Amino acid sequence: KLQAAWHRISSILSVPASPPSAAASASQPRRLHRFEPQHFSSLSELRASANSGAREIFMIGCSDQGPALEDLSFAPPDSMLIQQNLAASIPSAGNHDDVTSLATVEYAVALAHARHIIVCGHTACQVIPYWLKSTARAHNACPYYLQFEREVRQVVDREYGSRISATERLRLMLEEQTLFQLENLQALTCVQQRLATGELHLHAWLVDDATARIKTYLPQSGQFVPIEEASTTPPVPCHH
C-alpha cells in the first residue's frame, strides 16, 4: 500500500494546495498539541533528501506494518533508517523502559544525521484497538500500553466524550497516538538540539491501508490533511 502512496506523492508535488475542509476543522474542539511550524518541512524537501544518496530520513512506524515502510517508489533502496514499535510508540520523557528505542533515535539523529523524522501511523493498526479492549486494560502491563492510556486514551475521551461515534473515536485515537509520539521525540535532547539549528524536521503521517492515501499533519492548522493538499504549502522559515 505504501508503494502506491509514494507513487501518488511523486505526482502531486505540483498540485495546488487547497485549504483544509470545514468538516476536518470541526472535528477538533481545540488545539491539543503545540508544535513550532518551522520544525516541519515541505514534501519537496523530504523528496530531495530521499534522492540525496544519503540516509537522511528516519521513519518510525508500527510493528504490524511489516516491511511496508521500506516500500518507497521514488527513493533508492536503503535510503531510510526505520524503527518499528507497537503503534509507532516512542518513550515519553523520563520513561526508560525501552532504552533500545531511545538509543536508535539517538543514533539516527546524532550520529547518522537524519534530516527528517516521520512518525507514521496507519488506519489498519491492530495494536490500538487491542489496547482499547477492556481485557487489555485489565491485564496489559506493557509500558507502551500504559503510556497510551495516559497520553492518548484519557485525552481523547476527556476532550470528545460520548458525542462522537466509535469510528470517529478510533480515528482520533490513531491521530493523537501519532502526535503524542512526535511530542515525545521533541522532548529528547538530541532532537531538540538539531531542531534548534534547523538541521532536523518533523513529519506526522497517517496512512489509510485500504486506499494507500496519506494524511499529513499541518502544525499551522493543527489538522491532518490529505498530503496532496499540503504538498505546496509554503515552508515556514527557520529563525536561528
Side-chain angles (χ1 to χ4, degrees):
K1 296 296 184 181
L2 275 185
Q3 185 178 35
W6 279 111
H7 276 297
R8 182 157 39 249
I9 289 172
S10 298
S11 65
I12 64 178
L13 288 173
S14 60
V15 176
S18 57
S21 66
S25 299
S27 68
Q28 303 239 3
R30 69 181 181 91
R31 191 74 62 91
L32 299 179
H33 304 272
R34 293 187 180 275
F35 296 109
E36 297 294 333
Q38 66 266 25
H39 292 163
F40 291 70
S41 72
S42 68
L43 183 61
S44 59
E45 290 176 287
L46 181 64
R47 188 181 183 190
S49 282
N51 291 320
S52 67
R55 301 178 78 184
E56 296 184 347
I57 300 174
F58 176 40
M59 182 175 278
I60 301 168
C62 182
S63 300
D64 67 1
Q65 284 176 283
L69 291 175
E70 300 177 3
D71 208 2
L72 294 177
S73 64
F74 69 70
D78 300 321
S79 63
M80 291 194 307
L81 296 166
I82 295 175
Q83 178 176 347
Q84 292 179 267
N85 291 332
L86 293 173
S89 299
I90 292 296
S92 56
N95 179 358
H96 302 296
D97 290 309
D98 187 1
V99 293
T100 301
S101 288
L102 293 173
T104 302
V105 172
E106 185 171 8
Y107 168 78
V109 173
L111 297 178
H113 304 296
R115 297 189 61 83
H116 300 271
I117 300 180
I118 304 170
V119 178
C120 185
H122 66 127
T123 58
C125 177
Q126 296 300 306
V127 177
I128 288 178
Y130 171 73
W131 282 346
L132 289 171
K133 293 179 181 178
S134 59
T135 53
R137 293 200 297 273
H139 304 295
N140 197 323
C142 168
Y144 283 139
Y145 161 72
L146 300 175
Q147 181 173 294
F148 168 81
E149 280 283 301
R150 182 177 64 254
E151 292 181 345
V152 180
R153 183 175 178 272
Q154 291 182 16
V155 168
V156 170
D157 288 345
R158 182 182 70 238
E159 294 294 327
Y160 299 91
S162 59
R163 66 180 184 273
I164 56 175
S165 67
T167 299
E168 182 75 356
R169 180 173 180 255
L170 178 58
R171 180 188 68 79
L172 290 167
M173 293 284 181
L174 293 168
E175 290 184 358
E176 291 300 322
Q177 169 70 7
T178 303
L179 294 177
F180 271 109
Q181 307 324 302
L182 214 58
E183 285 194 347
N184 292 340
L185 282 167
Q186 285 191 143
L188 300 177
T189 301
C190 61
V191 173
Q192 291 175 352
Q193 290 173 341
R194 297 196 67 228
L195 286 174
T197 62
E199 298 174 289
L200 181 66
H201 295 93
L202 305 174
H203 307 263
W205 286 3
L206 189 63
V207 178
D208 186 326
D209 296 86
T211 65
R213 292 192 175 276
I214 294 174
K215 287 189 174 182
T216 187
Y217 179 75
L218 289 184
Q220 296 91 336
S221 64
Q223 301 287 332
F224 278 87
V225 301
I227 201 166
E228 54 266 30
E229 293 183 8
S231 61
T232 57
T233 300
V236 177
C238 181
H239 300 289
H240 299 291

